[in-house]
Amino acid sequence: MQRRFLLGGAAALAGFAITGKAQAQTITLNGASQFNDEHAFTRCLARFEELVKQYYGKPINFILHKNSSLGLEKQYFEYMAQGRAVDYGIVSPAHMSTFSRAAPFIDAPFLFRDLAHWNKVMDQDLLKPIGDEVEKRARVMLVGYAGGGVRNIFASKPMATVADLRAVKVRVQGAPIWSRTFSAAGMSPTVIAYNEIYNAIQNGVIQAGENEAAGVEQMRFFEVAPNLALTQHAITVRPICFSSAVFTRLPPDLQAAIRRAGAEAGAFGRQIESTEDSQKIDALAASGRLKKIEFTERQALLEKVAPVMAAYAKEIEADGIMSRITAVTS
């Protein structure tokens, strides 16, 4: 006699099955990554798998679907919220805005002063209230925080001052705070799917995009936009997400292993991405594929967007969190 319980994934892939009293229960968890094996996010998820297996200590199967084979991060988050197809993955907070208005504030542009400030915020777990809201509203748990990539603007023309940014068509993430802050900076922001950025720049639909080093390298944006303006406008926070619908059906000892592994894998992801970020940019520049351009008016840029950031934080009732983040000394 056979009983099957599907845990999130597609029927052919996911779930755990009990195939008889004599056989042990086998659980299969499906993850997703937009990137290949070398990307920091994929390596972070691989580390998560290793740690879960180590701490659980019982047979368990993981299937990590790479290279966008199950779509993009926005779809991954929706699948996890629905408890199907994807059980875990790394998702940009911008893609959580449908469920939680506060979620994109986790790594809003112009929120962190520098990497040292970002590290202190992570160490003090100041983002927990937003994580709790995401879990409540979207039924997706944020079990760890990866990221650490410094985001800059890559463009088809050199840009070094605020005046150079004026009216430049730039691709931004879908959360409102990105469009608002880049508009305040004088640019013309537009939301385009991540996998369409390259062609959009190549065809002149947009002139620029913004990303951390790993994305610029992986997606080869330097081929169509070889000028990198070092605006350092954001430092990424990339939550390791896990479907609450799936999590609640797992054994307690596996739940504990997932929580422990998530926190440790997040720290691992932060370490590798923040360490490798500048190395990747330097390597692209040394090979002549990318031209680094010092942005000389960063303070002026921050001053232009500061009122927008403050108003948005108040609007989404995250002004208290913003105050605590701002107060952290690096």
Side-chain angles (χ1 to χ4, degrees):
M1 181 176 179
Q2 187 180 58
R3 294 182 296 163
R4 184 170 300 274
F5 301 86
L6 295 181
L7 290 184
L13 296 174
F16 62 82
I18 304 174
T19 56
K21 292 182 179 179
Q23 292 180 288
Q25 175 176 284
T26 301
I27 299 171
T28 296
L29 298 174
N30 282 270
S33 171
Q34 291 183 170
F35 308 104
N36 64 15
D37 289 328
E38 278 68 53
H39 194 279
F41 294 177
T42 310
R43 290 156 60 193
C44 180
L45 292 175
R47 181 62 175 161
F48 174 68
E49 173 186 336
E50 293 171 4
L51 290 170
V52 171
K53 288 179 176 178
Q54 176 184 333
Y55 297 142
Y56 184 45
K58 299 175 184 178
I60 183 171
N61 299 320
F62 284 81
I63 302 173
L64 180 57
H65 304 271
K66 294 168 279 193
N67 296 305
S68 302
S69 60
L70 291 184
L72 301 176
E73 289 178 8
K74 181 176 177 61
Q75 284 79 50
Y76 306 161
F77 194 78
E78 291 170 354
Y79 292 152
M80 283 185 274
Q82 296 164 7
R84 66 182 184 90
V86 176
D87 302 321
Y88 67 95
I90 290 177
V91 176
S92 168
H95 301 310
M96 305 176 189
S97 59
T98 302
F99 300 88
S100 168
R101 296 174 70 203
F105 199 75
I106 287 176
D107 76 331
F110 311 102
L111 181 61
F112 302 109
R113 292 188 294 273
D114 50 35
L115 198 58
H117 180 221
W118 175 88
N119 269 309
K120 285 288 184 68
V121 172
M122 294 296 103
D123 290 343
Q124 295 181 26
D125 201 20
L126 295 183
L127 303 177
K128 187 179 185 301
I130 295 179
D132 291 343
E133 182 189 14
V134 171
E135 182 175 352
K136 178 181 178 181
R137 295 182 181 276
R139 300 202 68 212
V140 175
M141 303 165 57
L142 308 187
V143 297
Y145 294 94
V150 178
R151 294 178 82 93
N152 296 293
I153 297 175
F154 52 90
S156 57
K157 68 172 187 175
M159 297 187 297
T161 66
V162 172
D164 293 335
L165 301 179
R166 191 170 298 125
V168 171
K169 295 179 180 178
V170 59
R171 181 270 181 181
V172 297
Q173 300 181 55
I177 187 58
W178 287 84
S179 293
R180 294 184 193 182
T181 51
F182 276 75
S183 291
M187 303 185 78
S188 178
T190 183
V191 177
I192 294 175
Y194 187 71
N195 60 347
E196 296 175 6
I197 297 173
Y198 187 104
N199 287 338
I201 295 177
Q202 187 176 46
N203 296 327
V205 176
I206 56 175
Q207 299 161 285
E210 57 82 39
N211 213 325
E212 62 268 30
V216 172
E217 179 187 55
Q218 172 79 24
M219 303 301 288
R220 305 186 69 84
F221 293 139
F222 54 82
E223 293 180 347
V224 291
N227 302 286
L228 190 72
L230 300 177
T231 51
Q232 302 178 51
H233 56 270
I235 302 176
T236 61
V237 178
R238 293 293 177 265
I240 302 175
C241 302
F242 201 97
S243 170
S244 294
V246 174
F247 186 85
T248 57
R249 296 199 292 263
L250 297 176
D253 52 349
L254 179 53
Q255 291 180 349
I258 288 169
R259 288 189 182 278
R260 182 179 176 184
E264 293 184 19
F268 171 80
R270 297 197 302 273
Q271 190 274 327
I272 60 172
E273 187 166 358
S274 61
T275 300
E276 296 177 358
D277 191 77
S278 60
Q279 296 173 354
K280 290 180 183 295
I281 293 299
D282 290 343
L284 289 170
S287 66
R289 291 179 288 179
L290 193 67
K291 182 181 180 181
K292 295 196 297 182
I293 301 170
E294 199 66 35
F295 194 81
T296 60
E297 297 182 351
R298 187 168 184 268
Q299 185 57 40
L301 181 61
L302 294 177
E303 290 171 2
K304 287 176 73 70
V305 303
V308 174
M309 284 290 292
Y312 183 75
K314 186 174 182 179
E315 178 185 325
I316 63 172
E317 299 180 346
D319 43 337
I321 294 173
M322 184 175 179
S323 296
R324 288 192 289 275
I325 290 174
T326 302
V328 170
T329 56
S330 55

